[in-house]
Amino acid sequence: EDKRPPTLGHMGPVPRSIGPGSGQGRGGRELTEGAGGEILAVKAMDGGPPIGPGSRTQGGGKMTTPLGSPAAEAIADLLARELGRMADQLRAYRDEEAIWALDGAILNSAGTLAAHGAGNILHFVGAVLGGTEYERNREAEFSGEWIPRAELIRHLDEAVRVVQAVIPGLTEDELEAPFPELPDRYAGASTYWFLTHLTSHLSWHLGQVDYHRRIVGERWTSEI
């Protein structure tokens, strides 16, 4: 059991089943986990074929989603890609402390943006849709408190696993249904609309991190 304090948010164990019938999230899918708790595959609780790395097509690298819609698969692919790129950006900083550097009108560091990006996905996709036990600490995401690069990347990697476990199997009906537990300003938005919003929002922050690394990160490194 993870006993670490909930800095960005406490991820907790991923439940064995997610979706209707489990009392958690949506989708009616059962998780297969590895020895380290990583998600290996997701299977329909009605006996359908698995979804996950073991069901990937040969060569193309795209996840086969017999239960879901092409739109759900596309959103999952894009979210996983952008989360992976965010982690790559953090790895590219030559000085780890520069991840948290601020400069002039730049009020959010790369660390803050990465923490927020992971928190959004772990909360809305993991806890709300998937029924994980993730407990978000949004204030910590924007506190600017230094968090090790490895910890930020761990959260981003977990967000990828959650995306691949929850989104690909969503059906068209589920995508058209209102997203549960939305902020008031998005009240009534469909699951498809809100997942698209999360994707574009993450891409926006990814671009900010890229320019932060190129400008603030490089100057920070050259001045120490």
Side-chain angles (χ1 to χ4, degrees), residues 69-90:
S69 72
E73 181 177 352
I75 290 171
D77 283 348
L78 290 171
L79 270 177
R81 183 192 72 183
E82 301 298 75
L83 289 163
R85 287 177 174 178
M86 184 76 80
D88 288 341
Q89 286 289 335
L90 297 182

Side-chain angles (χ1 to χ4, degrees), residues 23-49:
Q24 307 179 58
R26 298 201 248 165
R29 285 167 276 281
E30 181 177 353
L31 302 182
T32 301
E33 302 172 9
E38 69 276 18
I39 299 167
L40 300 178
V42 187
K43 184 177 68 174
M45 295 177 73
D46 62 3

